[in-house]
Amino acid sequence: MTKPWKQIINAAVGLRQDLHRIPELNWSEVQTSARIRKELTRAEISWRPIARTGTIAVLAKGASGRSIALRTDIDALPLEEETGVAWVSKTHGCMHACGHDGHTATLIAAALWLKQQEMHLPGPVTLIFQPAEEGGHGALRMIEEGSIDSVDAIYGWHNWPALPFGQAVCPDGSVMAGNGTFRITVTGKGGHASQPEMCRDPVAAASAIVLTLQQIVSRRLPPQQAVVVSVTSFVAPSAETVTPSQAVLAGNIRIADNEMRDIVNNLITQIATDTAPAWGVKADVEIFPRYGATVNDPDEAERFRQILCREFGEEWENRSIAIPVMASEDFHSRLSRHDTGRSGLHGKCLFSRGCRGANGICSPPSL
């Protein structure tokens, strides 16, 4: 049955709110996947499970034109929701704080409209509902299971509350940063605080390491490089009168250029291991790579910029936000498909669309 576009949008808003009530962490998106599959089945769109809790569907399979894919992510974050909205999360300690409920509802809306136009589609359209974007490497699992084997180009989007509704960013090259984490364990010699000369204080040494790490961005790298090094945790539990034997630092890096990853990680390791001996302690550094930078294909980005201009007008592009955004996305896995040894994917594009209304609240039409 053909539905007016406005009816599809209204249904998608309701779906987004329903999904917001039942957030699930990565690789646990059981209820979410069930709802997605129910909506696809109701629309008479064939689907199949992939990557455990993921779902994939293809429209116009027999069409001869260019094959494109539209991708969304479906998992939530381990946060307690305090918004007070009517559709607040019912799951303790879990919230759709990154907007994946809106992403998912948007792709369902697109699926419903495309299904109505299926006979007129020039080429196949693959709909990808990806689990485990939040650190779970869900994109890589879906690629390994063949989600884009027959796809020529893939598009994704991310809502961005910092941008006004009706504006977007869709640059050539890097659009979102790569990331990684690190842990530095500083081991010294504990003892009574009244006898510091008998101790080898890991707290003082770790503090020195924290301060020196700030020099990576300000003194060791060119100012033209977009890099973030943040120490986000400092743990050294002890009694007030006792110097502990160990302190553990942890933090996060962001890089706009994937080639900077090894440089930054090597500097973290060098600073920690070189600073420690001056304090009579030892530093052990662990590096945990996560996602690479999301780098748009210039041809696909230009193609989509033209679409954004037609949809939102000449003022569609927001020029006030710094690009790349230093948040991270595992869409980069799809943009790096040639690294997997597969072939055939020619284009890829991720854009960020504004969803902030005039009152500073995300606008309902943007889901």
Side-chain angles (χ1 to χ4, degrees):
M1 181 179 69
T2 300
K3 292 183 178 180
W5 177 242
K6 182 63 175 177
Q7 185 177 344
I8 291 175
I9 289 296
N10 289 339
V13 171
L15 173 61
R16 180 257 164 170
Q17 294 175 355
D18 288 347
L19 293 175
H20 194 88
R21 293 185 180 98
I22 56 166
E24 296 169 296
L25 299 179
N26 58 25
W27 298 123
S28 302
E29 310 93 336
V30 176
Q31 294 184 78
T32 304
S33 293
R35 181 62 186 273
I36 290 167
R37 294 164 185 176
K38 179 180 179 180
E39 296 296 328
L40 293 174
T41 299
R42 181 182 297 166
E44 299 182 353
I45 299 174
S46 299
W47 55 268
R48 66 179 176 89
I50 186 171
R52 288 169 51 183
T53 49
T55 304
I56 191 169
V58 183
L59 296 171
K61 288 184 180 180
S64 59
R66 197 172 75 130
S67 176
I68 69 167
L70 306 177
R71 169 268 193 181
T72 189
D73 36 18
I74 68 174
D75 55 331
L77 287 167
L79 295 172
E80 190 68 34
E81 181 165 3
E82 299 177 352
T83 63
V85 296
W87 52 91
V88 67
S89 169
K90 296 181 179 179
T91 305
H92 175 68
C94 189
M95 175 190 177
H96 269 299
C98 201
H100 296 183
D101 51 339
H103 297 175
T104 301
T106 299
L107 186 54
I108 288 291
L112 297 179
W113 186 86
L114 290 169
K115 178 62 177 179
Q116 295 177 175
Q117 316 300 322
E118 189 170 18
M119 296 299 295
H120 307 291
L121 295 176
V125 178
T126 300
L127 309 171
I128 296 174
F129 297 86
Q130 178 208 310
E133 187 279 327
E134 298 290 355
H137 298 273
L140 184 58
R141 176 75 67 85
M142 294 195 85
I143 291 171
E144 292 171 346
E145 295 188 18
S147 64
I148 53 176
D149 280 354
S150 59
V151 170
D152 296 314
I154 184 167
Y155 294 87
W157 78 289
H158 205 296
N159 73 82
W160 206 253
L163 299 180
F165 179 68
Q167 290 194 319
V169 292
C170 184
D172 296 346
S174 293
V175 59
M176 296 184 78
N179 67 348
T181 59
F182 60 88
R183 183 186 302 125
I184 303 172
T185 301
V186 181
T187 304
K189 181 181 178 182
H192 200 280
S194 65
Q195 295 178 295
E197 76 282 4
M198 302 296 293
C199 305
R200 296 295 178 262
D201 190 350
V203 175
S207 300
I209 291 171
V210 171
L211 291 177
T212 310
L213 288 175
Q214 309 312 306
Q215 295 184 18
I216 293 177
V217 174
S218 66
R219 292 294 181 267
R220 300 296 298 274
L221 299 178
Q224 295 84 358
Q225 287 287 353
V227 172
V228 175
V229 178
S230 295
V231 178
T232 56
S233 177
F234 191 134
V235 180
S238 183
E240 290 83 351
T241 58
V242 177
T243 297
S245 61
Q246 191 173 85
V248 180
L249 306 174
N252 181 265
I253 70 166
R254 304 284 165 149
I255 51 170
D257 181 345
N258 288 322
E259 293 184 359
M260 292 300 298
R261 182 182 300 278
D262 287 344
I263 295 172
V264 173
N265 286 337
N266 287 341
L267 285 170
I268 291 171
T269 301
Q270 179 190 1
I271 287 170
T273 56
D274 285 357
T275 302
W279 295 83
V281 302
K282 178 185 178 184
D284 294 303
V285 182
E286 299 171 274
I287 300 294
F288 307 99
R290 295 188 67 174
Y291 296 155
T294 299
V295 182
N296 280 348
D297 176 271
D299 293 336
E300 296 304 327
E302 174 58 26
R303 184 193 302 267
F304 205 80
R305 285 194 292 269
Q306 294 175 14
I307 294 170
L308 289 167
C309 186
R310 291 200 301 268
E311 177 68 19
F312 295 115
E314 295 292 335
E315 301 301 317
W316 71 269
E317 185 174 15
N318 185 286
R319 300 180 184 277
S320 64
I321 188 171
I323 298 296
V325 174
M326 298 308 283
S328 301
E329 247 274 6
D330 80 339
F331 193 74
H332 84 95
S333 296
R334 304 183 188 283
L335 304 192
S336 307
R337 187 182 178 200
H338 291 296
D339 295 339
T340 69
R342 302 172 187 267
S343 61
L345 182 66
H346 306 304
K348 47 274 181 177
C349 176
L350 179 79
F351 75 102
S352 291
R353 176 186 171 188
C355 62
R356 189 186 74 235
N359 58 359
I361 300 174
C362 290
S363 175
S366 72
L367 304 181

